[in-house]
Amino acid sequence: MRQYIFGTGLLSAITGGVTLLRGLKNDEPFTWRTALAWLSWGITLALAVGAVVDTRRARRGRVIAGDSPVQKKQGKLLKKRLTR
């Protein structure tokens, strides 16, 4: 489970969220740039979580979507699990 939680994509998404939360502490008005930053953070978080889910599915031998970046490594991940 550590390998999923401490993945670089997930850590960077969490760090980005913390940075956005710190920006809310200032008394600056909420602008369209702030809205785009939050939207971008949400997309980044969703992609990071999706990659974790796809990696877990690939290691368990389940079929993952063809548009997933993990799809190319699916055979290697499954073979790694079977050798344990």
Side-chain angles (χ1 to χ4, degrees):
M1 192 57 146
R2 281 189 307 237
Q3 59 195 2
Y4 302 126
I5 294 174
F6 295 121
T8 57
L10 208 52
L11 280 177
S12 65
I14 291 170
T15 304
V18 169
T19 303
L20 286 172
L21 285 174
R22 285 184 184 166
L24 286 178
K25 287 184 179 180
N26 300 339
D27 291 332
E28 296 178 23
F30 191 83
T31 63
W32 63 272
R33 290 182 184 95
T34 308
L36 284 179
W38 278 103
L39 179 67
S40 172
W41 174 77
I43 292 170
T44 302
L45 183 64
L47 288 172
V49 170
V52 167
V53 169
D54 285 347
T55 302
R56 187 165 189 257
R57 284 182 182 164
R59 286 194 177 176
R60 294 181 180 251
R62 296 187 182 148
V63 178
I64 56 175
D67 64 344
S68 173
V70 181
Q71 199 269 336
K72 294 177 184 176
K73 297 186 279 184
Q74 185 174 11
K76 186 191 295 185
L77 292 171
L78 181 59
K79 188 185 288 186
K80 192 179 203 181
R81 179 170 171 89
L82 292 175
T83 59
R84 284 195 247 163

